[in-house]
């Protein structure tokens, strides 16, 4: 078998034979791109060397984690003794003839090309070694150098992280004619700084591109508007390090003074952009390239998919040059969810959203509406709202409370996002909104002026609504019909009572604030503390019941969860504890982190995990006085302090305070209650979906029940009607776009339909301070615990919880937290609401907190002023 392949090969070889880098060069050569000539030593070329290595003791230690560093070093040492066999030398010399008879006059670039490198889901840029300026006499050593790099410890660790086998190393090596570059660098077909699909970014330096690729130098930067063919920004880099070719072999590294001119001209930057666009058009996806310029000719040295951008769902993207749309990511802003929902969860969420906005929003869901679901979440179309004259009404309540969101919007020229026509549905809605709002306004006014009466009506009707939820059954209906019926059950909790009660509470809150306009700064913390541990708050009730369970002696009685579950099954746990345990799982066992996604397992399904949460929470139990008793006492103390201030202004002010506070006390805690029943409905939908999944697994159509969450509601109903439908392939197809979004790891508040992410302006802070948004007052000191997700590690009592965002499912952690620091979320985001209701000092809007702060670091959280002081570096 021939083990070399020219880059001019008329047939495109398989990836596992030549590796990602070589494959793109062969493809680009076939497409007529300016690729330097060369050939590939394919994976099979190195089989003799691999066979020798596999006989060594070091090879056997590769699978032992503790032995991996030593095994890697031993294998690299063995690689240094390898020599080409006779057959290998013959193939190499035959391939070198493609450069002409005078091989000794050429310099070569010898580069690795792994099948596990330069992929769409795993770039591994810089993982393997390249040798530049190689003479014909040193070519075997350069090949050995690239081969040896495949046994570097960092390569093994990367492979393990991405699910590649470390005992099946595969490497090809590219040998190309060396380009004697006047300038070189990298270029991106989208802007990696803001994700904009319409902007290209170029980095350039004099000489070879190694200095840019390795990050050794501050290169020139060009940002290019691809649509208009204009340079948007030029930034001259210092370019103090320059690498050039040594014509005798190797490279020369020199240090020079700052360059005052760019390495390439603006005209050349535009020409390079056109080459970049050709590569992107070929692959039909964003790419980055390595390029070189020699004698006014651009050469393409490498091309690979960009793996770190956020791919918008295709239904959210507008074509280049068409009117752009601006979106708010309410899944993150309002719900505190960083990870996208499952396919089925996203689909069902559209049914839920159609009800939770009340009669005004009903029917406005969809891509032609104000709110829509896509790509694992729900978004608000700010453009359409602006075009309807709604201003920021398009934002969910949690978005409006996020000052970082409003800061972004305040800095935007909305004219660029309000072109084109409104969808017909919204034009029709615009004329109906006033009539739809009248019943809602009437309900709000009744709740505000007759709070006790409305609350009594709600509480009288509630048992029947709960009975309807708890007795829900499929009744032979399609999953689509079940989804619609479940969503209809939310009308009571939102349109009938939830929204009127919440808005009445907000009116009362505004009145309370209005009473103390002149003393706003003095009473700010008191006003916020009026929201602590309010009656009727289901999240607070959940936390209080958990705390009571955690305080029980039974939690300390069992050393392990296995002991507890065994005792529970055998009936040897105290009956009173069992009753409270079962009541909690029935009433709150469907609440969990990421709870709006039906794909998330529930505590009622995982009692072992719930016991561990109680065990950790028990560390915070301190004496007979409850955490929540303290919280209520803090609220009453705040009210009493405000009453004294109001009384000094006169008895009328004091009576007004009492009146507004009673209205606030009646309904203020109900903000979280409708969400509680949404999650109950989502859990019911989860059960219905899993029941169907069990039948599909039994029929051999799914591998496991959880696969059903990778399908849409329509897919599942289709599958029940058509036994021939390939569900595995369909699940893979449906989940692929969401999985790409999940891998991007970008937290986005505001984004446009061309992928451009808008970030809030950076806040200036004093030395040793991080500035954010004040959420819950108080000043505390403690050591940091950074969590990327709720179950990542234990939060010990007295620690400062640091997270990107949270939802009510993080409640068990809040009870142990001394203070809370959030990257995302305003005063009405769920995590912030819980922090305030528990009376825990909290600062939000602190960009990059999870990367700036480290576990164990001592900080001070000033929740009154939105400042985090770093006391220990």
């Amino acid at each position: 078998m021939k083990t070399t392949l020219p880059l001019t090969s008329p047939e495109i070889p398989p990836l596992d034979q030549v590796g990602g880098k070589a494959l793109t060069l062969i493809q680009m050569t076939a497409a007529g791109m300016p690729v330097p000539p060369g050939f590939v030593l394919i994976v099979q070329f190195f089989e003799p060397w691999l066979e020798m290595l596999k006989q060594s003791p070091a090879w056997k230690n590769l699978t032992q984690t503790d032995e991996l560093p030593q095994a890697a070093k031993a294998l690299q040492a063995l690689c240094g003794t390898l020599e080409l066999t006779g057959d290998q030398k013959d193939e190499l010399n035959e391939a070198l003839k493609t450069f002409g008879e005078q091989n000794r006059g050429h310099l070569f670039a010898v580069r690795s090309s792994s099948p596990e490198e330069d992929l769409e889901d795993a770039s591994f840029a810089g993982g393997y070694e390249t040798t530049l300026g190689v003479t014909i006499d040193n070519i075997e050593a350069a090949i050995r150098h690239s081969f040896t790099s495949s046994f570097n410890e960092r390569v093994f660790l990367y492979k393990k992280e991405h699910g590649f086998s470390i005992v099946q190393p595969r490497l090809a090596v590219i040998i190309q004619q060396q380009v004697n570059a006047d300038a070189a660098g990298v270029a991106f077909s989208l802007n990696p700084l803001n994700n904009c699909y319409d902007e290209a970014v170029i980095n350039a330096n004099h000489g070879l591109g190694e200095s840019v690729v390795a990050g050794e130098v501050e290169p020139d930067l060009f940002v290019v508007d691809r649509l208009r063919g204009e340079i948007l920004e030029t930034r001259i880099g210092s370019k103090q390090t320059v690498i050039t070719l040594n014509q005798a072999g190797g490279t020369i590294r020199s240090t020079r003074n700052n360059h005052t001119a760019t390495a390439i001209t603006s005209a050349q930057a535009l020409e390079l952009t056109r080459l970049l666009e050709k590569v992107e058009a070929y692959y039909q996806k964003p790419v980055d390239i390595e390029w070189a310029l020699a004698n006014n000719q651009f050469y393409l040295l490498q091309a690979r998919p960009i793996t770190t951008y956020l791919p918008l769902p295709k239904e959210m993207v507008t074509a280049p040059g068409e009117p752009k749309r601006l979106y708010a990511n309410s899944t993150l802003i309002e719900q505190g969810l960083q990870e996208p929902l499952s396919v089925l969860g996203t689909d069902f969420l559209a049914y839920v959203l159609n009800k939770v906005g009340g009669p005004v929003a009903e029917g406005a869901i969809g891509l032609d509406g104000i709110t829509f679901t896509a790509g694992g979440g729900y978004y608000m179309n700010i453009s359409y709202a602006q075009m309807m004259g709604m201003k920021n009404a398009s934002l969910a309540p949690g978005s409006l409370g996020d000052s970082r969101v409003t800061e972004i919007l305040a800095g935007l020229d909305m004219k660029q996002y309000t072109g084109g026509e409104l969808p017909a549905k919204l034009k029709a809605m615009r004329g109906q909104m006033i009539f739809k709002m009248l019943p809602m306004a009437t309900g709000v006014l009744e709740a505000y002026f007759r709070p006790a009466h409305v609350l009594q009506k709600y509480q009288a009707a509630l048992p029947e609504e709960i009975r309807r939820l708890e007795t829900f059954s499929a009744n032979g209906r399609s999953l689509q019909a079940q989804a619609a019926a479940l969503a209809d059950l939310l009308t009571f909790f939102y349109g009938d009572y939830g929204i009127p009660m919440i808005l009445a509470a907000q009116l009362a809150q505004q009145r309370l604030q209005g009473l103390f306009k002149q003393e706003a700064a003095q009473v700010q913390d008191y006003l916020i503390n009026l929201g602590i541990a309010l009656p009727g708050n289901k999240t607070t009730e959940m936390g209080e019941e958990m705390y009571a369970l955690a305080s029980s002696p039974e939690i300390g009685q069992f050393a392990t969860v296995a002991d507890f579950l065994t005792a529970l099954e055998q009936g040897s746990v105290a009956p009173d504890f069992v009753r409270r345990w079962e009541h909690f799982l029935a009433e709150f066992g469907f609440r969990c982190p990421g709870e709006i996604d039906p794909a998330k397992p529930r505590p009622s399904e995982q009692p072992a995990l719930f016991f561990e949460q109680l065990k950790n929470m028990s560390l915070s139990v301190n004496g007979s006085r409850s955490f929540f008793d303290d919280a209520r006492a803090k609220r009453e103390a705040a009210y009493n302090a405000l009453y004294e201030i109001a009384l000094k202004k006169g008895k009328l002010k004091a009576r007004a305070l009492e009146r507004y506070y009673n209205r606030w006390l009646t309904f203020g805690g109900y903000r979280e209650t409708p969400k509680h029943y949404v999650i109950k409905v989502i859990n019911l939908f989860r059960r219905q979906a899993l029941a169907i999944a069990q039948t599909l697994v039994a029929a051999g159509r799914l591998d496991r029940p959880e696969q059903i969450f990778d399908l849409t509601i329509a897919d599942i109903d289709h599958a029940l009607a058509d036994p021939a439908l390939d569900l595995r392939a369909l699940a893979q197809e449906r989940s692929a776009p969401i999985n790409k979004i999940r891998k991007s790891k970008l937290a986005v508040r505001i984004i446009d339909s061309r992928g451009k992410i808008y970030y809030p302006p950076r806040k200036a802070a004093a030395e040793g301070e991080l500035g954010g948004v004040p959420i819950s007052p108080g000043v505390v000191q403690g050591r940091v615990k950074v969590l990327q997700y709720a179950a990542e590690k234990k939060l010990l009592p007295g620690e400062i919880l640091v997270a990107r965002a949270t939802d009510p499912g993080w409640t068990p952690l809040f009870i142990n937290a001394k203070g809370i620091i959030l990257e995302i979320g305003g005063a009405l985001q769920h995590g912030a609401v819980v922090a305030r209701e528990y009376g825990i000092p909290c600062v939000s809007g602190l960009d990059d907190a999870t990367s700036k702060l480290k576990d164990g670091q001592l900080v001070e959280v000033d929740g009154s002023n939105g400042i985090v002081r770093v006391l220990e570096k």
Side-chain angles (χ1 to χ4, degrees), residues 700-829:
R701 301 179 67 189
L702 291 177
D703 298 320
R704 60 190 189 284
E706 293 74 21
Q707 258 182 310
I708 202 163
F709 297 111
D710 290 335
L711 299 167
T712 66
I713 292 171
D715 291 337
I716 296 166
D717 283 340
H718 184 187
L720 295 175
D722 180 5
L725 186 65
D726 187 345
L727 290 181
R728 291 182 179 86
L730 198 56
Q732 188 172 9
E733 177 189 338
R734 298 282 193 240
S735 61
I738 286 179
N739 288 336
K740 287 181 180 179
I741 293 170
R742 183 174 286 114
K743 287 177 180 176
S744 74
K745 301 294 184 185
L746 290 174
V748 176
R749 294 175 176 93
I750 303 294
I751 189 168
D752 74 14
S753 58
R754 295 300 300 156
K756 186 173 183 178
I757 298 170
Y758 286 99
Y759 296 101
R762 292 284 179 181
K763 287 197 168 186
E767 180 73 22
E769 291 184 350
L770 304 173
V773 178
I775 294 296
S776 182
V779 179
V780 292
Q781 292 184 1
R783 298 202 174 271
V784 162
K785 182 66 70 67
V786 179
L787 272 72
Q788 302 297 335
Y789 53 92
E792 182 185 9
K793 48 197 167 187
K794 288 184 178 180
L795 183 79
L796 301 178
E799 290 185 322
I800 306 295
L801 170 63
V802 180
R804 297 184 85 179
T806 63
D807 65 11
W810 291 59
T811 297
L813 296 171
F814 279 43
I815 291 173
N816 280 4
K818 193 174 184 181
I820 297 169
I821 300 168
L822 302 174
E823 288 186 2
I824 294 164
L828 298 181
Q829 192 258 3

Side-chain angles (χ1 to χ4, degrees), residues 23 64 131 151 162 187 195 288 312 334 347 424 454 462 469 471 511 521 636 695 795 808 833 839 849:
L23 179 60
Q64 305 299 318
T131 310
F151 299 93
H162 285 77
N195 207 65
D288 72 75
L312 269 183
E334 168 101 331
D347 202 8
V454 171
L462 182 61
L469 285 171
T471 58
R511 294 288 190 180
E636 289 302 319
T695 66
L795 183 79
V833 168

Side-chain angles (χ1 to χ4, degrees), residues 327-341:
Y327 309 118
N329 179 5
S330 291
T331 325
L332 177 68
I333 302 168
E334 168 101 331
Q335 302 296 335
L337 293 184
Q338 307 160 54
E339 290 284 317
L341 278 63

Side-chain angles (χ1 to χ4, degrees), residues 625-678:
R625 188 172 174 85
S626 162
F627 170 92
F628 294 91
D629 290 336
D630 291 337
R632 277 186 284 270
K634 188 183 288 188
R635 168 167 52 81
E636 289 302 319
Y639 172 73
N640 291 333
L642 288 169
Y643 189 85
E644 290 299 321
I645 296 171
L647 195 58
K648 290 177 182 177
K649 300 167 75 170
K651 290 183 179 180
L652 288 177
K653 292 286 186 183
R655 288 197 198 102
L657 170 63
E658 186 176 6
R659 188 166 60 250
Y660 299 147
Y661 177 64
N662 284 335
R663 289 168 179 165
W664 167 248
L665 196 62
T666 302
F667 292 132
Y670 282 87
R671 181 193 181 278
E672 292 290 299
T673 299
K675 169 81 178 290
H676 176 81
Y677 292 104
V678 165

